[in-house]
Amino acid sequence: MAQFGYHASHEQFKPSELLKYVQAAHQAGFNAALSSDHFQPWSDRQGESGYAWSWLGAALQATQLSFGVVCAPGQRYHPAIIAQAAATLAEMYPNRFWVALGSGQALNEQITAEGWPAKSKRNQRLLECVDIIRALWAGETVTHHGIVQIEEAKLYTRPTVAPRIIGAAITPKTAEWVGGWADGLITVSHPYDKLKEVVDAFHRGGGRGKPLCLKVQLSYAQDEEQALQGAYDQWRTNIFASPVLSEFRHPQQFDAAAQFVKPEDMHPYVRISAKPEQHIEWLQQYLDLGFSELYLHNVNREQEAFIETFSQKVLPALSH
């Protein structure tokens, strides 16, 4: 049976608000959650960016949901710190926490003033981080001098079962690469044909049989115009190709690029509809592609109506 999760967007809401939303989602019948992990939002209109790792402890305690977090170790975070943070949450909340690791975006990582590496080097750095994290979870004493530096590190508090490491990928090329080392794939809801390319590439790279997770970007509201305008206001900075999303350094750059985006341009990138039956049809397409975990991100600001309507009309139609 598929899992349907609520996406906690730290860029859009204060941590205290997000805690209420995940509690409401849990009570409404969602059985999982996904957390972003940003230092800055995509847009000044979004206006927030709480620290995900502090929040996750509270959210896991306040609900019975399983949680994942999308994270980029290697620059803003040393992998030993991510290993320790994840191990602590996994020890406290067994089998309820996992990490999605990716190569990151300059928006969050360049704050360290170390420069922003090319994608190929970021991938190499990520794989070093994955190996370090897994070794630390296994109880090894780790020394590694590569792009990442670590010396005689041993993690003393470890969970009985290590968290899953899911590979985060937007493009088919990256998806094929993560298929060889990740425990599963997480991507975003591209147009159908491109999404199928990502899935096929992941399988081709060694991911066949591993779980497929999808962050579904949607906009539900009481009427079509409200759904469209809500998506346009909050998410028009997020529809650009991966090289743009990973290279811009400041929210103001995203806002400047998005001034050329029109409301109707949102449709290929966000599932926009006021009709629950339309969302059912779209989500069923993702299930048919093989995704077993769907994390629903209502990109507009109306979270309560989304949680209530989807729990009553959408999730029951898909949970069979």
Side-chain angles (χ1 to χ4, degrees):
M1 184 178 293
Q3 277 198 328
F4 296 95
Y6 174 82
H7 178 68
S9 178
H10 285 277
E11 305 82 48
Q12 294 177 275
F13 302 101
K14 295 181 184 300
S16 54
E17 286 183 89
L18 281 178
L19 190 60
K20 294 175 183 177
Y21 293 149
V22 294
Q23 288 176 301
H26 178 220
Q27 292 165 4
F30 287 78
N31 52 21
L34 177 68
S35 172
S36 60
D37 178 12
H38 270 225
F39 192 83
Q40 301 183 93
W42 302 99
S43 166
D44 282 340
R45 287 184 314 282
Q46 294 173 349
E48 298 291 341
S49 225
Y51 183 54
W53 292 89
S54 299
W55 180 86
L56 281 162
L60 282 155
Q61 178 66 26
T63 72
Q64 291 300 311
L65 300 175
S66 62
F67 277 80
V69 62
V70 183
C71 174
Q75 187 158 333
R76 178 170 47 126
Y77 295 126
H78 192 282
I81 301 304
I82 294 302
Q84 185 183 33
T88 296
L89 291 174
E91 192 283 329
M92 294 174 71
Y93 306 103
N95 301 310
R96 288 178 54 202
F97 180 71
W98 54 274
V99 292
L101 302 184
S103 61
Q105 294 140 345
L107 178 69
N108 302 305
E109 312 306 325
Q110 55 80 35
I111 61 167
T112 61
E114 297 171 31
W116 185 234
K119 173 65 171 171
S120 58
K121 188 170 183 180
R122 299 202 310 272
N123 281 355
Q124 183 183 348
R125 180 174 69 182
L126 173 59
L127 198 52
E128 289 184 19
C129 289
V130 170
D131 291 341
I132 288 167
I133 290 168
R134 283 179 168 151
L136 288 168
W137 287 346
E140 297 176 22
T141 299
V142 180
T143 295
H144 177 84
H145 296 289
I147 299 175
V148 179
Q149 304 290 317
I150 183 170
E151 195 160 293
E152 296 185 356
K154 182 177 179 178
L155 196 60
Y156 281 83
T157 296
R158 303 188 303 277
T160 303
V161 178
R164 294 186 298 168
I165 295 181
I166 303 297
I170 295 177
T171 67
K173 183 178 180 181
T174 301
E176 183 171 358
W177 174 66
V178 303
W181 57 260
D183 298 324
L185 170 74
I186 188 165
T187 189
V188 296
S189 51
H190 305 288
Y192 183 87
D193 289 345
K194 183 179 178 183
L195 189 58
K196 188 175 187 307
E197 289 180 21
V198 171
V199 171
D200 290 345
F202 179 68
H203 287 161
R204 189 166 59 246
R208 192 171 298 279
K210 298 177 181 180
L212 299 174
C213 313
L214 184 67
K215 177 180 175 283
V216 181
Q217 295 163 176
L218 63 93
S219 185
Y220 169 79
Q222 296 302 311
D223 61 67
E224 296 292 330
E225 184 61 22
Q226 186 180 352
L228 177 59
Q229 291 301 324
Y232 180 67
D233 175 69
Q234 286 292 290
W235 216 246
R236 66 180 181 265
T237 48
N238 298 62
I239 69 170
F240 305 115
S242 181
V244 176
L245 292 175
S246 64
E247 295 298 329
F248 280 178
R249 294 164 54 95
H250 307 293
Q252 295 79 15
Q253 291 174 309
F254 285 92
D255 282 324
Q259 66 180 308
F260 302 106
V261 176
K262 300 180 179 67
E264 57 267 26
D265 296 334
M266 300 298 297
H267 285 286
Y269 307 99
V270 179
R271 295 300 204 180
I272 300 169
S273 180
K275 299 175 182 178
E277 59 271 20
Q278 178 62 80
H279 287 285
I280 292 169
E281 181 181 329
W282 284 329
L283 294 173
Q284 185 62 53
Q285 291 176 351
Y286 301 139
L287 296 176
D288 293 343
L289 260 181
F291 287 95
S292 58
E293 300 176 34
L294 302 183
Y295 296 94
L296 309 185
H297 180 194
N298 188 48
V299 302
N300 66 57
R301 302 195 68 84
E302 302 304 317
Q303 300 298 296
E304 293 94 339
F306 156 69
I307 291 169
E308 181 179 357
T309 300
F310 271 59
S311 68
Q312 293 177 357
K313 299 181 178 180
V314 177
L315 301 190
L318 296 164
S319 301
H320 54 76

